[in-house]
Amino acid sequence: MAKVKLIDVARFAGVSKSTASQYLNGRFDYMSKETQERIRAAIAELDYVPNPIARNLKATKTKTIGVVVRDITGFYTSRVIRGVDDYCKANGYNALIYNTDFAPEIEAKSIEALYQLRVDGIIIASSGNNNQLVTDYIGKGMPIVHFQIENDGSEQNIVLSDYKKAAFDATEYLIQLGHKKICFVTQDFKNVISRTERYQGYADALTKHGIPVEDSLVQFWQRESGFQVEPTEIIKSAAPTAFFTQHLPITIELLRDLNQANISVPDDVSLLGFDEIPMAEFFKVPITVVKQEPYTIGMEATQLLLNNIANESNLSHKILIPCSLELRESCKAI
C-alpha cells in the first residue's frame, strides 16, 4: 500500500501543498471554513498520517532528545531511562534511545545519527573514547549532558551519584562492624575519575580509622575476562574479612564464585556491593548495598539538558546525587 503524502492530500482537497501544510500546523488566519473542511475531509478519506520527523526537520526545535546508554537492559540504566522518559513526557518532549553495548564505535555512530536527526540535545553515559567528537558537537551548538560516569573531567555538564561519599560511608560501616581487612574490587580506575573517587572514599575511611591501605586488598575485574585474581586465591593470600564490590556484575560474579567454593556469606566473609540488586529480598542471604538513585539521576539530567536547550547557556554544571546504604544480612560483625 503506497504511503499517502501531503501533496496527495492537497490534490484531493483541491488546494496547494502550502495551504495543506498551514492547516496541519494550525494556521487558519487566512483560510476559509470551507477550505478547512475540504482538507479535513481529505485527510480522513486518505487516512493521512503526518511524518513528525519530516516536520521537525523544518522546525527550529524538534522537541526530541537523544539518550545514549551502554546497556539498556541493566537495572541502573533502565531506571535512568524511566526518569528521562517521565521528565520528557511532562515537558512535551520525546526521547530516542541508542544502545552501544560498551562499543566506542557504536557510541560514535549513535551520536552522529542523533545529530543528523536534529535532536535538540543528547544525554549520554560516555565510554570516554569519543571525547573529541562530543566536544566537536558541543561546538556546533548541540547541548550534551553526561551521566553515570565521569571519565577525564572534560565533561561540561554531568549528573552523577556522590561516589566518593558513598564509598566512604560503606567502608566506614564495615569498619564499625570490626572489619580491618576489606577487599576493594573494581575495574581499572587510573584514568576514570568516577572510579578513582570510589577508591578515594574507601582509602579515606581506612585512613580516618588508622587502617593502612594494602595493595593486595585492591583487586581488579574486567567485563570481558572477569577477576584478575580469583576470589578464592584472594581469600587465601590476603585474608580479607569483607569484600566491597564496585559494580553489580562484580557482585554477581563474586557471589557465584564464593558459592561454587562453598564459602559462606556472611559466616566466612562479609559482602557489600555498590548498586542495588534486583529482587535481592529473595536471596538466601540478601546483600547489603550502596543504593544509587538512577531515576532521580535521569530526571535531573533531563532537566539540566532542557534548561540548556531553552537558555542556550554555556555554563558548566556538575550535580551530585546522594546515595544511601541498604543494610541487609550479608555483613557480619567480627
Side-chain angles (χ1 to χ4, degrees), residues 123-167:
I123 296 172
I124 184 171
S126 173
S127 66
N129 292 292
N130 291 300
N131 292 346
Q132 187 57 54
L133 180 67
V134 169
T135 299
D136 289 346
Y137 278 119
I138 292 174
K140 293 177 182 179
M142 173 66 72
I144 295 179
V145 170
H146 296 259
F147 78 96
Q148 190 171 20
I149 188 165
E150 183 177 15
N151 288 287
D152 63 0
S154 66
E155 298 87 353
Q156 293 183 15
N157 288 285
I158 190 165
V159 181
L160 298 163
S161 294
D162 192 345
Y163 293 123
K164 186 175 180 180
K165 185 177 188 308

Side-chain angles (χ1 to χ4, degrees), residues 27-330:
R27 296 195 291 268
F28 309 133
D29 294 348
Y30 303 103
M31 194 180 302
S32 69
K33 294 293 184 183
E34 188 225 348
T35 299
Q36 293 178 42
E37 179 56 29
R38 290 209 317 272
I39 298 173
R40 186 202 65 75
I43 290 172
E45 179 67 26
L46 297 175
D47 194 22
Y48 171 72
V49 179
N51 184 338
I53 294 178
R55 292 175 68 186
N56 284 340
L57 290 175
K58 299 177 182 179
T60 304
K61 293 288 190 292
T62 65
K63 304 296 285 185
T64 301
I65 65 168
V67 185
V68 181
V69 298
R70 298 181 294 174
D71 180 10
I72 199 170
T73 64
F75 179 77
Y76 173 97
T77 301
S78 65
R79 296 299 299 157
V80 171
I81 291 173
R82 182 57 189 261
V84 171
D85 190 54
D86 283 355
Y87 197 92
C88 281
K89 287 176 180 174
N91 289 274
Y93 262 79
N94 295 305
L96 300 176
I97 315 298
Y98 278 66
N99 184 71
T100 70
D101 288 324
F102 300 90
E105 63 276 10
I106 297 177
E107 177 182 276
K109 290 178 180 178
S110 299
I111 296 169
E112 291 165 358
L114 288 167
Y115 182 77
Q116 290 169 4
L117 287 170
R118 294 189 56 182
V119 297
D120 294 341
I122 296 173
I123 296 172
I124 184 171
S126 173
S127 66
N129 292 292
N130 291 300
N131 292 346
Q132 187 57 54
L133 180 67
V134 169
T135 299
D136 289 346
Y137 278 119
I138 292 174
K140 293 177 182 179
M142 173 66 72
I144 295 179
V145 170
H146 296 259
F147 78 96
Q148 190 171 20
I149 188 165
E150 183 177 15
N151 288 287
D152 63 0
S154 66
E155 298 87 353
Q156 293 183 15
N157 288 285
I158 190 165
V159 181
L160 298 163
S161 294
D162 192 345
Y163 293 123
K164 186 175 180 180
K165 185 177 188 308
F168 179 94
D169 291 345
T171 305
E172 187 167 63
Y173 167 70
L174 290 170
I175 293 170
Q176 290 168 349
L177 290 177
H179 297 279
K180 295 183 178 180
K181 294 180 74 67
I182 302 166
C183 186
F184 181 89
V185 191
T186 184
Q187 293 174 280
D188 182 24
F189 57 80
K190 293 179 182 177
N191 299 313
V192 180
I193 290 175
S194 292
R195 294 174 190 162
T196 301
E197 289 189 341
R198 296 189 192 202
Y199 171 76
Q200 194 60 57
Y202 161 79
D204 287 352
L206 293 177
T207 301
K208 175 185 173 181
H209 292 274
I211 302 171
V213 179
E214 300 181 36
D215 290 343
S216 62
L217 290 174
V218 178
Q219 294 290 332
F220 296 94
W221 173 94
Q222 295 298 330
R223 193 170 297 276
E224 299 80 14
S225 57
F227 294 105
Q228 187 175 19
V229 179
E230 291 300 316
T232 52
E233 292 301 316
I234 297 171
I235 291 173
K236 289 177 184 177
S237 61
T241 60
F243 283 96
F244 180 21
T245 54
Q246 298 307 299
H247 298 283
L248 178 56
I250 303 177
T251 307
I252 298 300
E253 191 166 337
L254 178 64
L255 280 170
R256 184 196 66 196
D257 288 2
L258 294 178
N259 184 59
Q260 289 177 348
N262 292 317
I263 296 172
S264 174
V265 174
D267 294 332
D268 297 325
V269 67
S270 291
L271 172 60
L272 194 157
F274 215 109
D275 293 333
E276 181 61 288
I277 301 175
M279 298 186 291
E281 64 272 20
F282 297 110
F283 281 37
K284 182 177 179 181
V285 178
I287 306 301
T288 294
V289 296
V290 173
K291 185 178 179 182
Q292 299 188 69
E293 299 296 336
Y295 180 84
T296 300
I297 287 173
M299 295 277 281
E300 290 284 347
T302 312
Q303 182 179 28
L304 177 57
L305 182 65
L306 296 194
N307 285 344
N308 285 349
I309 291 168
N311 300 328
E312 298 180 350
S313 170
N314 293 320
L315 296 178
S316 296
H317 296 84
K318 182 176 180 179
I319 300 173
L320 296 180
I321 306 299
C323 301
S324 60
L325 266 178
E326 189 74 25
L327 303 181
R328 299 191 178 112
E329 301 170 22
S330 64

